[in-house]
Amino acid sequence: MNNLLMEVENEIAVVTINRPKSLNALNSETLTELEQCLGEIEKRKDVKVVILTGAGEKAFVAGADISEMKDATAAQGRDMAFLACRTFGKLENMPQVTIAAVNGFALGGGCEISMACDIRIASENAKFGQPEVNLGILPGFGGTQRLPRLVGKGRAKELIFTADMIDAQEAYRIGLANKVVPLADLLKFCKEMAAKIISKGSYAVSLAKMAINTGLDIDLASGLKLEADLFGLSFATADKKEGMSAFLEKRPANLTDF
Ligand code: CAA
């Protein structure tokens, strides 16, 4: 992989987008590598949480690569958006929990890839924004769809129409960032959160992720039916037996399913 770093430790995969000279801008090669990398991770039983971050201390991801897009045709622009859509869809729907460790600029495609993650933890120097209209284009990696789902239609329209950049505290205030921590503590904080999630019933967490993601795209009655089905499915697991027995026997549970 030319543009990604990946390390796995304690059931956590840290995937780093590694193009610091371009502020980790997403070109097609990087997106293709990320699609392959996530495709491999989603099959692994020894990885339960994925932390996605950017190389260096300045940027998470400063957007899609403008130098690649400059001379791209309409068809190429659409292909790039479909590639990002497939790649970000993996982050959103893989059985593992995905955490974006937003360590600086998260602009355009950078904000969009963070929104495809389950949870966003921002460093104090992080900046979020959808500046595409400055370039005569609109968000194309999910911004018009995921931003309003996260922060509401009015705020999403304001951010996209004005191209304003917001700081980490404002992102936290509007619900775009889950937490804000000092840059020096960012990865440690994300790994601690990952360890806490891993200590729970991982199969149950993965079913909850499926219920939330699918439920938000369907009507409430169908979502509640889906939840009931997945709730029932969780009763078939060893973790359910162990978790409930441990509670009643007043001992710590040893949850191992995934
Ligand atoms: N694509 C390609 N290269 C980029 C880039 C991007 N999105 N963002 C930054 N770079 C490059 C710069 O061209 C520069 O390269 P050189 O050193 O070779 O000149 C290098 O990264 C450092 O950037 P700056 O010198 O501009 O750094 P700065 O500190 O002055 O500014 C910044 C930082 C505010 C993030 C500024 O770089 C910037 O505005 N970047 C573009 C942000 C943007 O418009 N993103 C949206 C892209 S479109 C998109 O993402 C569409 C979509 O929905 C998918």
Side-chain angles (χ1 to χ4, degrees), residues 127-143:
K127 297 246 185 326
F128 292 80
Q130 296 288 160
E132 286 86 350
V133 295
N134 288 332
L135 303 167
I137 57 173
L138 69 153
F141 292 1

Side-chain angles (χ1 to χ4, degrees), residues 6 47 51 63 65 68 71 99 122 147-148 189 196-197 199 229:
M6 205 228 339
V47 175
I51 296 174
D65 191 312
E68 182 180 354
D71 295 321
I99 300 176
L147 189 58
F189 183 91
K196 182 191 271 192
I197 293 168
S199 76
D229 286 341

Side-chain angles (χ1 to χ4, degrees), residues 21-23 25 58 62-66 107-109 112 131-132 135 139-141:
K21 285 189 185 137
S22 311
L23 303 188
K58 187 167 170 183
D65 191 312
I66 298 169
L107 302 175
E112 291 166 306
E132 286 86 350
L135 303 167
F141 292 1

Side-chain angles (χ1 to χ4, degrees), residues 81 84-85 88 92 107-113 115-116 129-133 137-162 176 217:
C85 182
F88 294 10
E92 191 158 52
L107 302 175
C111 186
E112 291 166 306
I113 197 170
M115 291 190 289
Q130 296 288 160
E132 286 86 350
V133 295
I137 57 173
L138 69 153
F141 292 1
T144 64
Q145 303 305 305
R146 292 196 178 95
L147 189 58
R149 282 169 168 79
L150 266 175
V151 304
K153 191 156 81 167
R155 286 198 173 109
K157 284 181 174 170
E158 182 184 341
L159 281 168
I160 291 171
F161 298 169
T162 63
L176 184 51
D217 288 336

